[in-house]
Amino acid sequence: NPSLALCVEAQARLLRVSDGQELFSGLVHYRSREHKHTTWAAHGARLFRQETERCNRDLSRAAVDQLVARGLIAPEAGPRSTLVVRSE
């Protein structure tokens, strides 16, 4: 029953639609607190599912923060941006 943490590294990329030119590429990282395997799995893996949702929110915020910091998107310009994740 080892202690485990959810660790994710994702690459965020911003591409110009007209020609596919990459305008931005950056890594974002997430690491949860450690829990015993049985704790992650209890109650239909509820804690694990909640942690993956938190991870997705935090990674999205970190990617958007990087885009704002580089002036590629305006801060608080209308509704929150939605990142689309595509598996290759």
Side-chain angles (χ1 to χ4, degrees):
N1 189 23
S3 291
L4 304 168
L6 175 63
C7 301
V8 177
E9 178 179 270
Q11 181 177 15
R13 295 175 62 207
L14 179 64
L15 305 176
R16 186 169 42 221
V17 175
S18 62
D19 62 3
Q21 173 70 34
E22 183 176 273
L23 303 174
F24 168 79
S25 178
L27 292 176
V28 289
H29 305 270
Y30 180 85
R31 181 180 170 86
S32 72
R33 292 179 41 208
E34 290 186 0
H35 297 283
K36 295 288 187 183
H37 181 267
T38 53
T39 304
W40 282 118
H43 308 290
R46 183 182 68 202
L47 180 61
F48 180 75
R49 287 184 283 111
Q50 289 171 339
E51 194 65 47
T52 57
E53 289 174 13
R54 184 178 300 112
C55 172
N56 290 335
R57 280 192 312 271
D58 289 357
L59 288 176
S60 296
R61 284 186 191 125
V64 169
D65 288 348
Q66 287 186 27
L67 293 170
V68 169
R70 288 169 176 75
L72 295 169
I73 61 173
E76 299 300 322
R80 281 266 202 221
S81 298
T82 302
L83 297 180
V84 176
V85 178
R86 182 183 72 179
S87 299
E88 295 182 15

